[in-house]
Amino acid sequence: MPPRSAKKRLSTQQSVNAAVKSICDIMRRSNCKGATKYVPELTWVLFLRILDDLEQRETEEAEALGRPFTPALAAPYRWRDWAAPDSPLRHKDNGGTAEKAWAFVHRPGDGLLATLRSYADPKVEATQRQRLIAQILSDTTRSRLDSAKNFCDVLDKVHALGGDAVDTTHVFPLSQVYEGLLLKMGEKGNDGGQFFTPREIIRLMVRVLDPQIGKTVYDPGCGTGGFLAEAYAWMVQKAKKPQDRETLKHRTFYGRETDDMTFPIALANLLLHEIDEPHLWHGNTLTGEARYEGLFAEAPKFFDYVLMNPPFGGKENKAAQTHFDFPTSSTQCLFLQHVLGQMKKGSSCGIVLDEGLLFRKNDSAFVKTKEKLLGECDVWCIVSLPAGVFLSAGAGVKTDLVFFTKGKPTERIWYFDLSDVKVGRKSPLTLKHFEERGFFDLLPQRAESDWSWSVDFAARRDAALAAREPIDEQAAELREQLEAQESELKEKKKAAAPEAKIEELEKVLAELAKQVRELDAKGQDIEWAIYDLKAVNPRAKRDEDTRTPAELLASIAAKGLEADGALAELGKLL
């Protein structure tokens, strides 16, 4: 076996992608068809490979500095002991075979998977990293591959990606190769759309919030950890001293995820992005039911930054709704309420919302949630996205990005419009689209342009309340009359008044009650209308047909003649 330094290095992104594709090809032929099957399998294998490299480096560094260091994995559970081609279990000169490695991985009791998964047991003494390893393997009781040979073929390919095999001078680090695999999970047809937010949208939202070192970042529906990983990449550029990196690696990133398959992938993804302690909570965020909360034990009550993309079109049962002030089956609406509850004065949030939530004004829970949002927070930016941004993930809904800071009510909302940009699977929305319209130049001053404008929400609210006031006064007068008539009716019934007189009073009462209801509804409609936050660009160019009726009729007649001629030609061919 040649030494590691003699291996051919992967010096281009194409060569790395080809190597990863070759791994996925083996998995696809071995009972792992579809990214949602092979990505979870590759997750734990790739993670253990990289962990072995990491702990070898850490051991060498500790020895050089004379510091004690205890790796999370010792023999025989290290990659070099069972998975590497020259490992004791696999090298032919040592009597190793694919079947021996396969058996060790799956052996009950002291086998690889059984041992590493046991670190999740509170009764087992384990380090923080060992607990993380257990959670990454929490959904893996055995390999998804169908044979020892295919399994070891995958091990060989993954082994070739470790160490210094990838030249990061010209190639993305392995963590970004892994991101490419996660992207495949988000493609339509792979049933993984719930895991995926386009990376350019994530990058934009992180850039707009500009999280600072020493502050916490939280995603209550973190999926595979995209927002947290990108926030780390943004913040680590600001690190000036070793303590800054330590803070980022250990005390900054928090999230929640409910899906059993996605949770370990998120942990592995964040660890591959150098976040040594991702504080992720496994369970249902909206009901508070936890499946594993050991990594979240020291989480603060409130967070400085919140970044998230709630599931589109989700519906929640009564168990989830009872935890919120404004019950509704809408997952997005409940998540927005959850976010507000996790923020303190000065906290900022960037969130992707279905535009239906923004403009809907006929549902009490939606309106009350937006009323709370606008009353407690300064909503300072809403970006109207094109309808196809999430199409590759199987979601064609129209969405907006909403940014707000808690601590004072909203006075003015600055809108930015990209709704007319044509996007699709092969032409996704990118940061360039924002730059071409001057988004980053306009944002600091909330300046106006052909694609940006401001709405004076405070003035709109004051005007609505002023318009509602006389209606409420009229309704109050009618209520007084209604109460007086109800008292009179009671007296008439008590005095055994004639039936005709009682019926007459009941008709008057019914009419008064109807008028009060109508006035209340009218007043409510006036006030609730201000919570339609949909972006409507006042400068948008709209195509209008300026032809006269006579010109339109002439055009229709001409089209009819064309159709008649085409039919005649077809008739000749028959």
Side-chain angles (χ1 to χ4, degrees):
M1 185 77 184
R4 179 180 293 181
S5 59
K7 285 190 219 171
K8 181 180 177 181
R9 302 187 85 196
L10 303 174
S11 58
T12 67
Q13 192 62 46
Q14 289 77 11
S15 64
V16 175
N17 290 342
V20 173
K21 183 180 181 300
S22 68
I23 298 171
C24 297
D25 288 342
I26 296 170
M27 290 182 160
R28 277 191 286 265
R29 76 176 187 233
S30 183
N31 201 37
C32 284
K33 293 181 179 178
T36 55
K37 295 284 198 310
Y38 62 71
V39 171
E41 179 77 6
L42 186 53
T43 292
W44 70 267
V45 175
L46 184 60
F47 170 72
L48 292 179
R49 173 68 183 103
I50 294 171
L51 178 67
D52 194 41
D53 278 340
L54 172 65
E55 296 207 320
Q56 284 191 70
R57 284 198 308 273
E58 289 175 332
T59 299
E60 292 167 3
E61 290 170 2
E63 288 175 353
L65 296 171
R67 291 196 310 231
F69 174 74
T70 303
L73 298 184
Y77 303 107
R78 303 168 302 184
W79 179 273
R80 71 198 90 149
D81 301 317
W82 63 272
D86 59 348
S87 66
L89 284 178
R90 295 196 55 208
H91 200 281
K92 291 181 180 178
D93 292 349
N94 297 326
T97 64
E99 287 70 23
K100 285 185 178 180
W102 178 259
F104 170 69
V105 168
H106 297 101
R107 189 168 67 216
D110 63 347
L112 177 77
L113 293 177
T115 298
L116 301 192
R117 284 166 54 85
S118 73
Y119 294 143
D121 188 343
K123 298 176 183 176
V124 174
E125 186 176 342
T127 65
Q128 177 77 355
R129 184 175 284 179
Q130 287 172 331
R131 302 283 189 210
L132 282 170
I133 293 168
Q135 290 308 308
I136 289 170
L137 290 163
S138 62
D139 200 39
T140 304
T141 55
R142 62 176 293 108
S143 170
R144 298 177 189 226
L145 302 182
D146 61 1
S147 70
K149 180 184 183 305
N150 282 332
F151 181 67
C152 286
D153 285 348
V154 168
L155 297 184
D156 289 345
K157 296 282 188 181
V158 171
H159 185 79
L161 284 175
D164 59 358
V166 180
D167 181 359
T168 56
T169 305
H170 305 291
V171 181
F172 286 128
L174 209 53
S175 61
Q176 288 183 254
V177 175
Y178 186 65
E179 279 192 10
L181 292 171
L182 299 185
L183 187 149
K184 289 184 178 296
M185 287 184 66
E187 291 178 350
K188 189 175 181 180
N190 276 319
D191 192 30
Q194 70 267 37
F195 310 120
F196 180 69
T197 303
R199 284 294 173 265
E200 289 287 84
I201 296 298
I202 291 175
R203 292 187 182 104
L204 172 95
M205 294 172 69
V206 170
R207 182 173 171 181
V208 170
L209 281 192
D210 189 23
Q212 301 298 307
I213 296 173
K215 305 288 187 179
T216 53
V217 181
Y218 174 58
D219 182 350
C222 68
T224 55
F227 278 113
L228 301 178
E230 188 60 36
Y232 173 84
W234 178 264
M235 296 169 79
V236 76
Q237 299 175 69
K238 305 172 187 287
K240 304 296 184 186
K241 48 188 184 293
Q243 295 94 313
D244 291 341
R245 286 182 175 270
E246 286 300 302
T247 296
L248 290 175
K249 288 174 177 290
H250 298 282
R251 297 180 293 279
T252 298
F253 300 100
Y254 300 82
R256 297 175 187 264
E257 176 53 41
T258 185
D259 188 79
D260 291 338
M261 181 180 73
T262 313
F263 178 70
I265 292 174
L267 286 173
N269 189 31
L270 295 177
L271 283 163
L272 286 174
H273 280 82
E274 302 180 356
I275 301 173
D276 289 348
E277 288 191 56
H279 300 281
L280 300 191
W281 183 91
H282 186 198
N284 188 317
T285 302
L286 299 178
T287 64
E289 297 172 357
R291 286 190 281 284
Y292 183 74
E293 53 188 344
L295 305 177
F296 207 75
E298 297 180 5
K301 186 176 181 180
F302 303 107
F303 301 92
D304 298 298
Y305 302 99
V306 182
L307 286 155
M308 87 164 304
N309 176 14
F312 301 134
K315 299 294 181 184
E316 300 299 324
N317 58 28
K318 296 292 184 182
Q321 297 179 43
T322 55
H323 294 265
F324 296 92
D325 292 336
F326 314 119
T328 172
S329 63
S330 168
T331 301
Q332 283 212 352
C333 192
L334 294 181
F335 262 115
L336 182 54
Q337 292 183 54
H338 171 82
V339 165
L340 293 173
Q342 300 297 298
M343 297 172 70
K344 60 186 177 182
K345 185 177 181 180
S347 298
S348 293
C349 174
I351 187 169
V352 182
L353 291 177
D354 182 337
E355 193 165 78
L357 191 154
L358 290 185
F359 70 70
R360 193 167 174 183
K361 57 183 189 296
N362 60 351
D363 181 282
S364 177
F366 281 59
V367 171
K368 292 296 183 184
T369 300
K370 287 185 284 187
E371 181 181 19
K372 182 179 178 69
L373 167 66
L374 293 156
E376 296 182 357
C377 304
D378 177 16
V379 179
W380 41 270
C381 177
I382 295 179
V383 178
S384 178
L385 297 177
V389 170
F390 291 88
L391 197 58
S392 63
V397 296
K398 174 74 175 67
T399 54
D400 290 350
L401 308 180
V402 183
F403 299 93
F404 52 91
T405 300
K406 193 165 188 177
K408 65 175 185 177
T410 301
E411 297 292 327
R412 296 181 70 83
I413 303 173
W414 185 72
Y415 286 87
F416 191 82
D417 186 19
L418 287 166
S419 60
D420 62 316
V421 175
K422 304 300 180 187
V423 298
R425 292 189 64 179
K426 295 183 178 180
S427 55
L429 189 70
T430 67
L431 290 177
K432 187 178 179 181
H433 289 107
F434 287 83
E435 291 164 351
E436 287 174 345
R437 297 193 174 185
F439 175 80
F440 296 105
D441 295 325
L442 297 166
L443 178 63
Q445 303 301 322
R446 315 290 193 263
E448 299 203 355
S449 70
D450 288 343
W451 298 284
S452 61
W453 68 99
S454 292
V455 170
D456 190 335
F457 182 78
R460 178 197 283 186
R461 180 178 56 231
D462 292 344
L465 294 176
R468 179 172 183 171
E469 187 175 356
I471 296 171
D472 288 344
E473 290 175 353
Q474 187 178 352
E477 292 176 2
L478 289 178
R479 279 195 183 86
E480 290 181 3
Q481 294 179 34
L482 185 61
E483 290 172 3
Q485 295 288 352
E486 286 174 341
S487 297
E488 183 178 348
L489 179 61
K490 287 179 182 178
E491 292 298 324
K492 295 289 185 185
K493 286 182 176 181
K494 191 175 181 181
E499 191 67 29
K501 188 65 175 177
I502 290 175
E503 288 180 1
E504 183 181 343
L505 274 173
E506 286 176 339
K507 286 181 180 179
V508 171
L509 281 170
E511 180 59 29
L512 282 172
K514 179 184 175 184
Q515 291 180 33
V516 169
R517 287 195 303 272
E518 289 174 347
L519 287 169
D520 285 342
K522 185 177 179 181
Q524 178 178 280
D525 287 345
I526 291 172
E527 183 175 352
W528 282 17
I530 68 174
Y531 297 107
D532 179 353
L533 304 179
K534 182 179 178 179
V536 180
N537 189 346
R539 301 182 184 86
K541 295 181 176 64
R542 293 176 176 82
D543 294 329
E544 294 184 9
D545 196 332
T546 58
R547 291 175 293 178
T548 65
E551 290 171 332
L552 286 170
L553 288 172
S555 175
I556 293 169
K559 294 292 182 183
L561 290 174
E562 287 179 19
D564 291 341
L567 288 171
E569 290 298 320
L570 285 172
K572 293 176 183 178
L573 298 174
L574 298 175

